[in-house]
Amino acid sequence: ICGPMLYIVLAMVFCRFLWRVCLFGAGIKVETDLRSHMFNHSKHLSQQFYHKNKVGNMMSYYTNDLETIQECFGDGVLMMFDALLLGGLAVAKMVQMNWLLTLFTLIPMAFLLIVGTVVGQYMTKKWEARQEAFSALSDFAQENFSGIAVIKAFVKEFRELWAFKKLNKDNEKANIEFTKASVLLHICVTLFVESVICVILGYGGYLVYTEVFNAGQLIEFISYFNSIVWPVMAVSQLIEMSSRGKASLKRISELLDTPIDVKDNEGATPIQSVRGDIEFRNLTFRYPEADYDALSDVSFKINAGENVGIIGKTGSGKTTIVDIILRIYNVPDGTVYVDGRDVNEITIESLRAACAYVP
């Protein structure tokens, strides 16, 4: 008896080691690869994107959302294989014993699948709301910590505390709503599993009474069903996990699908042997989604070798002029020239490499 069991134990140890390396390792590699793609794409996005998406929101992409996806690829795939293998073998043995009783036991499982799908879609929406609330909370905290000196200088600690309290409450509410949906799913799973036990005892007891089964076989059948309880529970966890994974993947996809709007025009060439002539010709510029022009019909020329100072009140467009020379923002053709060449005809990398910028 002990000899075969020893081989089984050794096989289980080896297989468990393999699935941790293969499945969990694959999940980590997916997370690492996705993070690299996200970072590479993020550093090419324009300033306009970062006006809308603050640091706290970006950090939630790289932490919570990526961890959720990694969990789906690691634990989720493992649960799926475990549920299919263990559940499939148990159901096969149950069918061999009595196919009709097995059918009765699987009917509630079909209802569970329908309920799980509906609740899963609801949970996806709630997880999206939860992640948005967490992003807002993280962004507010990051801005406050980085600007704590300004807050203290203007004695705004109490005001910021109340604003944080509201965001924290919204975050709590979003988490509670998702948890309610998660608990509802687990309750449904437990309800359907226990209902199946009632079916087995009822119809199985009748089979024992009619001597189709004996009592020992009924206990054996119940044991097989108990073997598929974990796969059923795993399915419920998979529904919850996939709901979170879909919501996080949707957020990350929105980041990766964001177009790079400030980029080299077709046919742009590097600038060589820069002299330093800069010319603006009737440039009118407005920041994206702004209500007024930052620069209006601006024209001037700076010859190579000249030192030029630009003065003006806050918001008059001094920094905007420098950012436009560096192609931080897009400008119309024929409005900004460097060494007589339109900046839109020069590759961004070579243009910025020719500039020294101290913000």
Side-chain angles (χ1 to χ4, degrees):
I1 295 174
C2 293
M5 287 185 64
L6 180 62
Y7 291 118
I8 292 172
V9 169
L10 290 175
M12 288 176 63
V13 170
F14 180 70
C15 291
R16 289 193 177 193
F17 173 78
L18 275 184
W19 85 45
R20 276 163 174 76
V21 172
C22 296
L23 299 181
F24 293 172
I28 294 295
K29 287 181 179 179
V30 167
E31 179 188 7
T32 302
D33 189 49
L34 197 54
R35 183 181 284 112
S36 297
H37 281 295
M38 290 167 60
F39 186 79
N40 185 55
H41 186 71
S42 296
K43 65 191 177 85
H44 291 295
L45 294 174
S46 66
Q47 200 71 13
Q48 176 183 350
F49 174 81
Y50 291 102
H51 283 316
K52 297 179 181 177
N53 298 271
K54 302 300 183 181
V55 175
N57 185 39
M58 293 296 293
M59 289 307 298
S60 69
Y61 289 145
Y62 283 88
T63 52
N64 279 21
D65 289 318
L66 274 180
E67 287 173 4
T68 302
I69 292 174
Q70 183 270 325
E71 185 182 6
C72 286
F73 274 92
D75 294 338
V77 174
L78 173 60
M79 284 183 184
M80 183 182 72
F81 277 113
D82 201 15
L84 288 175
L85 182 62
L86 185 60
L89 291 174
V91 170
K93 292 294 292 183
M94 291 165 65
V95 170
Q96 286 180 3
M97 295 188 68
N98 190 287
W99 68 268
L100 188 59
L101 180 57
T102 304
L103 180 63
F104 285 154
T105 61
L106 293 180
I107 289 175
M109 298 296 105
F111 285 110
L112 175 61
L113 183 62
I114 296 172
V115 172
T117 302
V118 174
V119 175
Q121 292 176 349
Y122 176 76
M123 289 172 66
T124 299
K125 296 179 181 179
K126 291 304 176 183
W127 184 260
E128 287 180 11
R130 178 193 179 279
Q131 293 297 82
E132 292 293 339
F134 178 78
S135 295
L137 191 68
S138 301
D139 186 52
F140 187 87
Q142 186 272 331
E143 287 191 352
N144 271 264
F145 289 139
S146 61
I148 191 69
V150 178
I151 294 172
K152 289 182 176 181
F154 287 91
V155 199
K156 296 295 183 181
E157 293 93 339
F158 186 74
R159 176 186 172 186
E160 294 301 304
L161 181 62
W162 271 102
F164 183 81
K165 184 177 180 181
K166 181 181 182 303
L167 288 172
N168 203 22
K169 196 70 178 176
D170 292 340
N171 184 61
E172 178 192 19
K173 182 180 178 182
N175 274 279
I176 288 175
E177 288 181 351
F178 177 80
T179 303
K180 285 181 178 178
S182 178
V183 171
L184 175 63
L185 179 61
H186 287 296
I187 289 173
C188 290
V189 170
T190 305
L191 174 65
F192 283 115
V193 168
E194 296 303 325
S195 67
V196 172
I197 295 292
C198 294
V199 171
I200 294 175
L201 290 175
Y203 185 65
Y206 170 75
L207 294 178
V208 173
Y209 176 74
T210 56
E211 297 182 351
V212 176
F213 270 6
N214 59 43
Q217 289 175 314
L218 179 60
I219 297 299
E220 181 184 354
F221 191 91
I222 293 175
S223 299
Y224 286 133
F225 175 74
N226 287 333
S227 297
I228 69 171
V229 169
W230 154 242
V232 171
M233 299 298 290
V235 168
S236 71
Q237 293 181 33
L238 276 172
I239 293 172
E240 177 187 346
M241 196 179 296
S242 64
S243 300
R244 292 188 282 117
K246 285 179 183 177
S248 292
L249 186 60
K250 179 182 177 182
R251 283 164 50 84
I252 289 178
S253 296
E254 289 173 355
L255 170 65
L256 292 175
D257 292 340
T258 301
I260 301 172
D261 50 359
V262 179
K263 57 184 178 181
D264 290 332
N265 289 354
E266 188 174 347
T269 57
I271 188 170
Q272 306 289 342
S273 303
V274 180
R275 297 189 311 275
D277 293 323
I278 299 172
E279 184 178 3
F280 277 52
R281 297 180 186 174
N282 308 110
L283 172 67
T284 297
F285 176 80
R286 177 179 296 191
Y287 285 102
E289 300 183 6
D291 296 328
Y292 56 88
D293 295 332
L295 298 172
S296 180
D297 196 22
V298 174
S299 298
F300 63 85
K301 184 174 182 179
I302 304 173
N303 295 314
E306 283 187 312
N307 295 322
V308 177
I310 302 174
I311 62 173
K313 63 183 181 179
T314 301
S316 60
K318 305 183 297 296
T319 304
T320 304
I321 288 176
V322 180
D323 288 343
I324 286 174
I325 296 172
L326 289 165
R327 278 291 309 279
I328 302 296
Y329 298 96
N330 287 322
V331 292
D333 293 337
T335 54
V336 180
Y337 293 82
V338 173
D339 286 352
R341 291 185 60 185
D342 191 328
V343 291
N344 291 330
E345 298 175 357
I346 303 172
T347 59
I348 295 175
E349 183 178 359
S350 66
L351 177 65
R352 293 175 183 171
C355 300
Y357 179 40
V358 183

